[in-house]
C-alpha cells in the first residue's frame, strides 16, 4: 500500500473524531451496551460501515484477550481513517471512563461511600438491563440469518449460563462448529444480505494494508516499546519492589490472559488483588465494580480503582495521592495499550482472510455465539440487579446460578421496566435513557426507597 493511500480518510476525520467522542459518552452497560452504541452510530445512523463488515470485525475481537468493545472501536476506527482513526477511536472510547472513575476513586478514598454515588447506581444498573436487551435484539436481528446461527447463539447462552463452560471454550467451539458446517453445508453458513440500511461507504474503499513481516515487525516493536516504557520508568524511579512496579507488571500480564470478558477477568483480578497483594478488601472489590458500572467505558476499568487504592495505601516514598494517581494511570495504560497492538498487528491479516469462505464460516460461528454471550451477560446483570439473593444449582453437568424469587427487589424491577419502555417503546437514545434513569435513582435514594 502506498503512503498516500494509508493517509487517505474514508470519512472526514473531524467528523469521525466528533462521532467517536459522542460514542465515548454513551458507553455504559458493559460490552453489550457498548456494541449496541457503536452499531447504532456507525451501522444505522452514520451508515459508514455495513453490518457484515461490523460482524466480521467483532468476531475477531471476541477471540482476543482484553475488552472486546474497545478493540472493536479501534478496528472500526482503523477501517474508516487508518492508524490515526484507530488511535482516536480507542483513546476516546476509554478516556471518559478513566477520568470519571478516577474522580469517583478520589471521592471514595477521601469521603467514603456517598449517597450520590449510591443513587446513581440505583438508577443506572436497572437501565443497563434494558440496554443489554436492546443489544441482544439488535445484534441478533442482524447476525442470526438462519436456523444454524440461531442454534449456535442458543447453544452459547446455555453453555455459559447453565453448564458454566469457560468462555474461551465456547468461542473455540463456535468457531469449530461454524468451520465444520461451512465445509459440510456451506449454504447454512453463507452470509445473507443484512437487513437495514445499506452503508454509504463501500466495503471496497475501507482502509486496508497488505500484511507483511516488515510491517508486523515495526508494529510489534513500536507497540511493545510504548507498552513497556512507563513500567520501566516506574521501576527505575520508585524501585523494582515498589507497589507501582508490581502493579505495572501484574496488570501487563493480566492484559494478555484475560479471555472471556470483564467478569471472567475480574474473578482473576479479585483473587490476586485481595488475597495475594492485599491492595483492597473483598467488599471493596464489589464496590469498585459498582463504581465502574456507573461510568462509561469497559467494565475492566475497575482495575484502575484497584490500583488507586493499593498505591494510596502503600505509597512507598511518594505522597499517597500522587502514588494513587500514578498507579491508576499506569494500570489503565498497560491494560488498554495491548488492545491497539492486537488490532494494528492482526487487522490486515483478518481483512485478507475476509474472502476465504472457510474462515468466514468460522468467524460467522463466533458472531452467532456473540449473541448468546451478550444474552448471558444480560442474565448475569438481571440476577444481581433484580434479586438480593441467588443460589447455586449443581446437578450433574448443570452448574447454574438461579435467583431466590422471594428476594426480588421491586425498585430496580420497576426502574428496569421503565427503562425498557424508554428503549423499546419510545425509542429514546441511550444518553437520554441513562440520564432519566440516573435521576430516578437519585430521587428514589433521596426519599429512602433505594
Amino acid at each position: 500500500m502506498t503512503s498516500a493511500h494509508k493517509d487517505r480518510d474514508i470519512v472526514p476525520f473531524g467528523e469521525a473524531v466528533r462521532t467517536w467522542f459522542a460514542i465515548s459518552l454513551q458507553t455504559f452497560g458493559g460490552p453489550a451496551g457498548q456494541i449496541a452504541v457503536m452499531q447504532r452510530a456507525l451501522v444505522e445512523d452514520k451508515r459508514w460501515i455495513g453490518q457484515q463488515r461490523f460482524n466480521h470485525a467483532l468476531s475477531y475481537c471476541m477471540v482476543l484477550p482484553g475488552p472486546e468493545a474497545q478493540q472493536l472501536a479501534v478496528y472500526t476506527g482503523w477501517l474508516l481513517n487508518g492508524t490515526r482513526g484507530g488511535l482516536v477511536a480507542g483513546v476516546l472510547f476509554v478516556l471518559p471512563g478513566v477520568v470519571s472513575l478516577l474522580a469517583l476513586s478520589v471521592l471514595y478514598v477521601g469521603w467514603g461511600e456517598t449517597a450520590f454515588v449510591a443513587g446513581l447506581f440505583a438508577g443506572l444498573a436497572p437501565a443497563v438491563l434494558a440496554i443489554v436487551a436492546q443489544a441482544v435484539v439488535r445484534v441478533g436481528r442482524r447476525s442470526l440469518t438462519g436456523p444454524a446461527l440461531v442454534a449456535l447463539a442458543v447453544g452459547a447462552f446455555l453453555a455459559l449460563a447453565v453448564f458454566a463452560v469457560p468462555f474461551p471454550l465456547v468461542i473455540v467451539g463456535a468457531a469449530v462448529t461454524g468451520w465444520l458446517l461451512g465445509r459440510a453445508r456451506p449454504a447454512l453458513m453463507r452470509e445473507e444480505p443484512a437487513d437495514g440500511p445499506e452503508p454509504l461507504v463501500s466495503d471496497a474503499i475501507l482502509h486496508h494494508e497488505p500484511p507483511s513481516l516488515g510491517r508486523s515487525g515495526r508494529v510489534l516493536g513500536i507497540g511493545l516499546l510504548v507498552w513497556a516504557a512507563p513500567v520501566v520508568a516506574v521501576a527505575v524511579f520508585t524501585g523494582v519492589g515498589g507497589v507501582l512496579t508490581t502493579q505495572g507488571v501484574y496488570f501487563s500480564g493480566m492484559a494478555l490472559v484475560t479471555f472471556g470478558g470483564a467478569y471472567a477477568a475480574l474473578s482473576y483480578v479479585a483473587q490476586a488483588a485481595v488475597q495475594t497483594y492485599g491492595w483492597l478488601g473483598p467488599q471493596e472489590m464489589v464496590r469498585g465494580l459498582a463504581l465502574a458500572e456507573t461510568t462509561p467505558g469497559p467494565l475492566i476499568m475497575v482495575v484502575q480503582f484497584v490500583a488507586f487504592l493499593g498505591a494510596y495505601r502503600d505509597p512507598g516514598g511518594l505522597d499517597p495521592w500522587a502514588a494513587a494517581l500514578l498507579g491508576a494511570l499506569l494500570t489503565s495504560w498497560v491494560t488498554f495499550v495491548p488492545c491497539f497492538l492486537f488490532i494494528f498487528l492482526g487487522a490486515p491479516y483478518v481483512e485478507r482472510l475476509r474472502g476465504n469462505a472457510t474462515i468466514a464460516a468460522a468467524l460467522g460461528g463466533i458472531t452467532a455465539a456473540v449473541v448468546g454471550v451478550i444474552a448471558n451477560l444480560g442474565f448475569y446483570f438481571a440476577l444481581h440487579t433484580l434479586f438480593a439473593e441467588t443460589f447455586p444449582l449443581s446437578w450433574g453437568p448443570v452448574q447454574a446460578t438461579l435467583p431466590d424469587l422471594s428476594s426480588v427487589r421491586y425498585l430496580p424491577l420497576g426502574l428496569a421496566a421503565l427503562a425498557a419502555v424508554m428503549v423499546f417503546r419510545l425509542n429514546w437514545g441511550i444518553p437520554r435513557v441513562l440520564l432519566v434513569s440516573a435521576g430516578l435513582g437519585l430521587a428514589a435514594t433521596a426519599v429512602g426507597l433505594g
Side-chain angles (χ1 to χ4, degrees):
M1 163 172 288
T2 65
S3 175
H5 184 80
K6 289 167 77 171
D7 293 338
R8 194 183 93 195
D9 289 324
I10 307 303
V11 301
F13 186 65
E15 185 178 356
V17 172
R18 290 189 294 272
T19 299
W20 284 114
F21 182 70
I23 289 173
S24 75
L25 299 178
Q26 305 173 46
T27 53
F28 294 87
Q34 294 155 8
I35 292 167
V37 168
M38 283 188 282
Q39 173 160 310
R40 172 180 284 183
L42 303 176
V43 177
E44 299 174 18
D45 294 343
K46 294 292 186 179
R47 295 167 60 187
W48 284 342
I49 189 169
Q51 185 66 53
Q52 292 174 357
R53 197 64 171 269
F54 186 83
N55 289 347
H56 181 82
L58 177 58
S59 297
Y60 171 60
C61 296
M62 289 297 294
V63 304
L64 297 173
E68 61 269 24
Q70 195 228 1
Q71 290 161 346
L72 179 62
V74 177
Y75 199 137
T76 49
W78 179 80
L79 286 174
L80 295 171
N81 295 97
T83 300
R84 66 174 182 168
L87 289 171
V88 166
V91 169
L92 287 179
F93 193 86
V94 299
L95 188 59
V98 168
V99 173
S100 55
L101 188 56
L102 193 60
L104 290 174
S105 299
V106 171
L107 285 174
Y108 180 83
V109 170
W111 292 275
E113 296 181 74
T114 66
F116 178 77
V117 172
L120 281 177
F121 181 64
L124 291 173
V128 166
L129 298 180
I131 294 171
V132 172
Q134 182 189 50
V136 172
V137 172
R138 286 178 175 272
V139 178
R141 183 182 297 149
R142 307 298 188 202
S143 305
L144 306 181
T145 57
L149 297 175
V150 172
L152 278 169
V154 173
F157 173 79
L158 294 176
L160 292 166
V162 178
F163 300 104
V165 177
F167 175 88
L169 292 183
V170 173
I171 295 300
V172 170
V176 171
T177 303
W179 178 76
L180 292 174
L181 288 175
R183 290 179 64 86
R185 299 284 299 277
L188 293 177
M189 300 301 295
R190 186 173 297 124
E191 289 185 318
E192 300 293 336
D195 294 333
E198 287 293 320
L200 298 177
V201 177
S202 168
D203 274 1
I205 66 170
L206 288 174
H207 182 86
H208 61 279
E209 297 180 45
S212 68
L213 289 179
R215 179 194 178 277
S216 298
R218 289 192 299 273
V219 170
L220 186 61
I222 294 172
L224 291 177
L225 178 62
V226 170
W227 186 12
V231 181
V232 174
V234 162
V236 169
F237 288 104
T238 67
V240 174
V243 65
L244 296 180
T245 305
T246 302
Q247 288 178 345
V249 172
Y250 170 74
F251 287 111
S252 293
M254 181 212 70
L256 297 176
V257 299
T258 49
F259 295 90
Y263 284 102
L266 290 178
S267 63
Y268 167 71
V269 170
Q271 183 177 16
V274 174
Q275 299 177 14
T276 305
Y277 298 109
W279 290 330
L280 74 175
Q283 290 303 313
E284 289 180 317
M285 189 73 199
V286 176
R287 293 177 195 136
L289 179 58
L291 292 178
E293 287 177 324
T294 67
T295 60
L299 290 180
I300 197 63
M301 194 76 73
V302 70
V303 299
Q304 179 178 286
F305 176 80
V306 172
F308 189 96
L309 263 62
Y312 180 86
R313 291 166 178 170
D314 182 19
L318 299 176
D319 175 81
W321 289 106
L325 177 62
L326 287 173
L329 295 179
L330 176 66
T331 294
S332 294
W333 181 271
V334 299
T335 298
F336 294 111
V337 165
C339 297
F340 296 92
L341 179 57
F342 293 146
I343 298 304
F344 293 148
L345 192 61
Y349 294 96
V350 176
E351 289 296 300
R352 172 69 63 87
L353 295 172
R354 195 165 56 87
N356 184 301
T358 303
I359 298 298
L363 292 177
I366 296 173
T367 301
V370 167
V371 181
V373 171
I374 297 174
N376 176 65
L377 182 62
F379 179 63
Y380 179 95
F381 273 130
L383 279 179
H384 297 279
T385 301
L386 304 182
F387 299 92
E389 301 290 340
T390 61
F391 63 93
L393 174 64
S394 180
W395 182 57
V398 174
Q399 302 291 326
T401 300
L402 298 177
D404 180 351
L405 297 180
S406 65
S407 70
V408 64
R409 302 169 64 199
Y410 292 102
L411 176 63
L413 182 62
L415 292 176
L418 287 174
V421 171
M422 294 181 232
V423 169
F424 290 103
R425 184 71 175 176
L426 302 179
N427 293 317
W428 284 6
I430 290 176
R432 189 179 183 185
V433 172
L434 291 172
L435 182 63
V436 172
S437 298
L440 293 173
L442 289 170
T445 301
V447 299
L449 295 178

